[in-house]
Amino acid sequence: MKIITSIFDLNKEIKDYKNIGFVPTMGGIHAGHISLIKASQNKKSKTIVSIFVNPTQFNKRDDFKQYPRDIQKDVAILEKLNVEYLFTPNIKDIYKSKAKKFNLKKKDKILCAKYRIGHFEGVLNVMNRLMTIIKSKDLYMGEKDYQQLYLIKKFLSKKFKVRINSCPTIRINNIALSTRNKLLKKRSIRKASEIALFLKKVKYKSKFESTKLVSDLHNYKIKLEKKYHIKVDYLEFRDEKSLKLNNFKNKYRLFVAYEIDNVRLIDNY
């Protein structure tokens, strides 16, 4: 595996390759990332993984500082997976040039965009820069960060003529895998597992009594907060394609975000 740290070196290395799959990450490589890498390897001749903890998508400085980092462990995992390229740029290199700024409209300021001001603008900013550099025609992303996936498709897929391959959420003990999970205490992992099971049952029930469940969601939210001593930002049914509220005629998902141990967890079912 070649580890590349500068944009100049990356351009030299991959300029002759058209068949490259791109897996963007912020490190803390886990089974979810591995599923994306394997999806790329199944289709592409070469795969490039980026590790870049992007400061512009953190709306709290402490959150950025505390974000789990272990580059040596990540490198070891990626080498075992026979990944061809690892791109680990620094902040100065990524943000040295001017680029388009993204502003979300009111209709997009829902779910996490409502509670994490500027987060998705930061995500779109860095993905715009990374995709300009890497120019891959295939991008691999997980469905756990479903709103992120939705917005990148909406704002960037046409611009870069890129195929965005969405991969199912990987879970351990019912919990959606996330690098942030490393910050959780053992008792909170147990709680998160119970919460996930509860929400899976709510989604299942929605197949038979969707209209009633919409009005019940507020009570479920209060119940979760009281029982597990957590703060729930949102618990909402939304249309899978448009993210509009309560459209049970098409495919839909149950979206949740809550805070436990001062760690913010998101999921969808």
Side-chain angles (χ1 to χ4, degrees):
M1 182 176 72
K2 291 189 178 180
I3 301 174
I4 303 170
T5 59
S6 77
I7 294 171
F8 178 78
D9 289 340
L10 181 69
N11 286 335
K12 279 200 304 181
E13 187 64 44
I14 68 171
K15 66 178 180 180
D16 295 326
Y17 294 111
K18 294 180 180 178
N19 196 25
I20 291 182
F22 176 34
V23 181
T25 83
M26 293 206 300
I29 302 298
H30 53 63
H33 298 122
I34 291 170
S35 73
L36 304 180
I37 292 164
K38 287 184 176 178
S40 172
Q41 290 173 330
N42 286 338
K43 282 189 178 180
K44 298 285 137 185
S45 61
K46 292 186 182 295
T47 296
I48 180 166
V49 175
S50 67
I51 294 179
F52 179 67
V53 184
N54 175 39
T56 67
Q57 69 189 69
F58 289 82
N59 43 353
K60 293 178 182 176
R61 186 177 290 181
D62 286 347
D63 192 19
F64 174 68
K65 287 181 180 178
Q66 291 168 11
Y67 194 83
R69 297 165 171 86
D70 191 339
I71 190 66
Q72 289 184 332
K73 187 176 179 182
D74 290 343
V75 167
I77 294 169
L78 296 175
E79 284 180 334
K80 280 185 181 179
L81 291 168
N82 296 315
V83 170
E84 283 81 10
Y85 300 108
L86 171 60
F87 181 44
T88 59
N90 60 45
I91 294 170
K92 215 178 246 188
D93 211 11
I94 290 293
Y95 285 102
K96 67 181 178 182
S97 60
K98 287 186 178 180
K100 177 185 175 181
K101 288 187 176 180
F102 293 88
N103 295 303
L104 297 187
K105 293 182 179 178
K106 188 177 179 180
K107 65 179 179 179
D108 289 318
K109 291 182 178 179
I110 57 172
L111 301 173
C112 284
K114 180 179 176 181
Y115 292 90
R116 298 187 70 189
I117 307 303
H119 168 68
F120 286 117
E121 288 86 346
V123 169
L124 291 168
N125 186 354
V126 76
M127 285 303 299
N128 181 49
R129 291 167 185 269
L130 287 170
M131 290 163 78
T132 299
I133 297 162
I134 293 173
K135 299 181 180 69
S136 170
K137 296 303 177 188
D138 275 281
L139 180 69
Y140 294 84
M141 304 190 77
E143 293 181 349
K144 190 212 74 173
D145 296 319
Y146 196 87
Q147 188 177 14
Q148 172 178 276
L149 180 68
Y150 169 82
L151 290 171
I152 289 172
K153 281 181 179 179
K154 180 175 179 176
F155 285 94
L156 298 177
S157 60
K158 285 184 182 177
K159 176 182 177 180
F160 292 100
K161 297 178 182 176
V162 63
R163 182 166 44 235
I164 299 177
N165 302 274
S166 58
C167 300
T169 302
I170 303 297
R171 300 173 185 276
I172 290 180
N173 295 325
N174 308 306
I175 306 169
L177 287 183
S178 169
T179 302
R180 290 180 188 276
N181 292 0
K182 295 176 182 179
L183 300 172
L184 293 172
K185 297 170 185 173
K186 284 185 179 179
R187 68 172 184 274
S188 294
I189 291 172
R190 286 195 296 271
K191 283 184 183 180
S193 179
E194 290 178 22
I195 290 166
L197 275 176
F198 176 81
L199 294 175
K200 280 175 72 175
K201 288 177 184 176
V202 172
K203 174 65 186 292
Y204 180 75
K205 283 176 71 176
S206 72
K207 295 176 183 179
F208 310 102
E209 46 185 288
S210 56
T211 306
K212 181 177 180 296
L213 271 176
V214 170
S215 58
D216 284 346
L217 276 185
H218 180 67
N219 292 330
Y220 285 138
K221 180 174 177 283
I222 292 170
K223 183 178 179 180
L224 287 171
E225 288 181 325
K226 285 184 176 178
K227 183 174 181 179
Y228 295 105
H229 306 288
I230 60 173
K231 181 184 180 299
V232 180
D233 280 346
Y234 58 78
L235 182 62
E236 298 174 352
F237 285 112
R238 287 189 175 266
D239 183 89
E240 198 170 83
K241 282 190 176 179
S242 67
L243 291 190
K244 289 181 180 177
L245 275 170
N246 307 336
N247 184 352
F248 294 101
K249 294 177 183 177
N250 304 312
K251 278 191 175 181
Y252 61 90
R253 295 185 181 227
L254 176 62
F255 291 87
V256 67
Y258 63 92
E259 200 168 285
I260 185 168
D261 277 349
N262 294 316
V263 179
R264 194 169 191 275
L265 300 182
I266 62 170
D267 207 343
N268 61 86
Y269 304 85

